[in-house]
Every structure is written in C-alpha cells, then in structure tokens.
Amino acid sequence: MVKVQAAPAFRRIGKPFDEFIKSGGRWDLHLLPLTDVHLRSSHITTPWLSHLSSIKYIYIFGSIALFIIILACVNFMNLSTARSAKRAKEVGIRKVAGSTRGQLVNNFYPKRFYTALFPACLL
C-alpha cells in the first residue's frame, strides 16, 4: 500500500521507491490524535499543516497569566489592609457615638456584598 501511495511522490524526486529503501531511507507514517494536531505536532512538517503552533506558548502565556493573578491578589490584600486602618477609625467613632454591634455589622456587610456582586455581574 505504501508503494502505491508513495509512487507519485518518488517519481517527482526522480528516485524509485525501492532504491530509496535500499539506500537506507525511511518512509514513516505519523498517526496523531485529532486533539493534538494544532498544539503538539510541530515536529511534523507538511504543506497542509503550515499554521501549527506549539504547546510551549500555552505554558508561557499561562504562567504569565498566573503571575498577573498572583500580583492582583497581593495588590488586593495591600489595599484591603490600607482600607482597614480607615475603617477602624470609623468603627471607633461609631462606637463612641453609641452604635451597637449589630448596627456596625449591618453597615459593613452590604458594602462588601455589593463589592463582590458587581464583578460577578461583569463576568
């Protein structure tokens, strides 16, 4: 079957298939799962698969994205810590003014809920 399929290609290069095999040449067939064609087949060079990429670019961009997410988390913790100092002052003033614990909780939880709800709605 390989001789029949490969004959036109070997006619184009001007060397018969039998001579090619006798001189130590190899004719390999590569079977590849369909899910791996675009990212894991950079070692196969064929004209109809000219727009191939590599899985290494996925790993590179994924690690950059992970770094950005970690940086955003650190930034959020820093901003939350800075805001807590202001909030502590506000809680102290409210306690002196006579607020109960329930009133303080009812003041801060809706703000946190809306802060979490707004980005969730954007997704």
Side-chain angles (χ1 to χ4, degrees):
M1 184 172 143
V2 173
K3 282 186 180 183
V4 173
Q5 299 294 327
F10 282 98
R11 264 189 248 125
R12 281 192 302 250
I13 38 179
K15 188 175 191 180
F17 181 72
D18 295 329
E19 282 183 36
F20 177 73
I21 297 296
K22 286 179 186 173
S23 66
R26 288 181 38 185
W27 184 268
D28 291 333
L29 296 175
H30 297 280
L31 297 177
L32 193 64
L34 189 59
T35 56
D36 292 346
V37 168
H38 292 287
L39 293 177
R40 292 183 177 90
S41 60
S42 59
H43 61 282
I44 300 172
T45 55
T46 57
W48 59 87
L49 292 177
S50 61
H51 300 291
L52 296 176
S53 186
S54 179
I55 192 72
K56 70 179 178 181
Y57 295 119
I58 301 295
Y59 292 135
I60 290 169
F61 290 129
S63 58
I64 290 171
L66 183 65
F67 176 72
I68 290 171
I69 289 173
I70 291 171
L71 192 64
C73 290
V74 169
N75 189 23
F76 177 76
M77 288 187 290
N78 187 19
L79 290 174
S80 296
T81 304
R83 195 182 304 170
S84 69
K86 178 184 171 191
R87 198 163 278 165
K89 184 178 177 184
E90 182 182 346
V91 168
I93 292 172
R94 285 183 185 267
K95 280 186 177 182
V96 169
S99 291
T100 64
R101 183 173 183 211
Q103 289 173 332
L104 291 172
V105 168
N106 287 337
N107 185 27
F108 291 116
Y109 274 131
K111 289 180 186 177
R112 288 187 183 180
F113 176 74
Y114 292 130
T115 304
L117 182 68
F118 179 68
C121 291
L122 291 178
L123 293 177

